[in-house]
Amino acid sequence: MTKILVVEDDADNAALLEKFLTGEGFEVTVAGDGASALAATSSTQPDLVLLDIGLGEEDGRDVLREIRLLSDVPTIFLTGRGLESERVAGLKMGADDYIVKPFSLAEVSARIESVLRRAGANLAQHHIDAPTLRFGDLLINENTHEVHLNGERLELTSKEFALLAFLARSPRQVFSREQLLEHVWESSGEWQNAATVTEHIRRLRAKIETDPDHPRWITTVRGVGYRFESDAGAS
Ligand code: CA
């Protein structure tokens, strides 16, 4: 069930919104002031906040600032008519939308749907993109552990994948074989031979490089170690 937190000091208005939104199938929590709004944000983890700017002595924008310290929850401001500067300031400081009072319930419903849809799309996008490192034609998906080069999937062992992903997470940074042993093999150089790294780099290059003798993705920095060339895909 989608949870909405309504922050409004006017009891009649809050009750109206609560009744309407409950009827629309939302789980509704009402807070009458900033402190209750913050408490409810932590305890109920709402999917959306409807936040009135006029909260008696308090300003809803200050409340949003504090909510933002706890959560990125999508937030819609309720604001008085004609307060254009308030609205612009509100959007600038991270509200997702605003509704001008007096509003129709149909408008409230439409705004909520639109903001939730946007938030859902962002979330889905985030889940797809976050684990994927992209460098030109080379895609390294840390979620599925798949590597694609020029649209073709490469067969890598789990160690080869771990080594490539580790290097690619810090493009252009040089790592010594000892450092790679420590981070990728999670052991110190005393227990594993650094030649293990050399051998895995060789196998990895055989799979991802067009010409393994002149690598463009994973290069050797003589006397230091290896690094991932992030702009190699452009060549
Ligand atoms: Ca109010």
Side-chain angles (χ1 to χ4, degrees):
M1 210 177 199
T2 304
K3 291 179 281 188
I4 296 185
L5 171 63
V6 174
V7 187
E8 163 67 284
D9 62 321
D10 181 308
D12 290 343
N13 211 6
L16 177 75
L17 284 168
E18 182 179 21
K19 185 167 174 235
F20 171 70
L21 294 171
T22 304
E24 294 276 286
F26 296 110
E27 190 179 319
V28 183
T29 308
V30 172
D33 55 47
S36 330
L38 289 173
T41 301
S42 325
S43 64
T44 68
Q45 303 277 316
D47 299 293
L48 185 140
V49 178
L50 269 185
L51 176 56
D52 191 22
I53 287 188
L55 291 172
E57 300 285 292
E58 290 181 287
D59 187 319
R61 289 167 296 184
D62 295 331
V63 177
L64 177 61
R65 210 169 284 128
E66 294 189 54
I67 286 177
R68 281 284 170 265
L69 299 176
L70 300 174
S71 163
D72 287 328
V73 59
T75 300
I76 300 175
F77 271 134
L78 302 177
T79 148
R81 180 179 288 282
L83 300 175
E84 190 61 33
S85 58
E86 256 190 15
R87 293 202 290 274
V88 171
L91 291 176
K92 264 193 197 148
M93 54 169 296
D96 296 81
D97 206 345
Y98 58 84
I99 298 171
V100 182
K101 289 180 171 184
F103 48 74
S104 73
L105 292 173
E107 187 189 358
V108 171
S109 177
R111 297 281 178 155
I112 286 176
E113 239 175 70
S114 140
V115 167
L116 283 175
R117 199 167 43 233
R118 230 153 60 206
N122 286 343
L123 203 63
Q125 192 71 17
H126 183 70
H127 281 306
I128 292 164
D129 287 349
T132 304
L133 301 167
R134 291 165 192 267
F135 304 96
D137 297 329
L138 180 66
L139 304 186
I140 304 167
N141 188 315
E142 296 201 73
N143 202 23
T144 61
H145 281 211
E146 287 176 353
V147 176
H148 287 85
L149 182 60
N150 298 322
E152 301 220 2
R153 188 175 156 192
L154 304 180
E155 297 293 333
L156 301 186
T157 66
S158 62
K159 262 310 172 247
E160 288 162 0
F161 177 86
L163 180 59
L164 176 62
F166 179 80
L167 287 167
R169 267 181 234 127
S170 306
R172 306 279 303 157
Q173 190 176 331
V174 184
F175 295 97
S176 69
R177 292 189 294 175
E178 289 71 24
Q179 284 175 317
L180 291 171
L181 268 184
E182 203 174 299
H183 291 286
V184 179
W185 276 261
E186 288 169 8
S187 66
S188 78
E190 297 164 39
W191 301 99
Q192 290 260 7
N193 193 324
T196 305
V197 176
T198 314
E199 175 59 17
H200 276 79
I201 292 281
R202 191 187 64 76
R203 289 189 214 158
L204 196 50
R205 279 175 175 162
K207 292 181 182 179
I208 70 168
E209 303 288 358
T210 313
D211 179 1
D213 292 330
H214 300 92
R216 67 177 212 180
W217 293 110
I218 298 174
T219 56
T220 303
V221 180
R222 200 173 289 277
V224 188
Y226 303 99
R227 75 176 171 203
F228 183 84
E229 302 289 344
S230 58
D231 53 358
S235 65

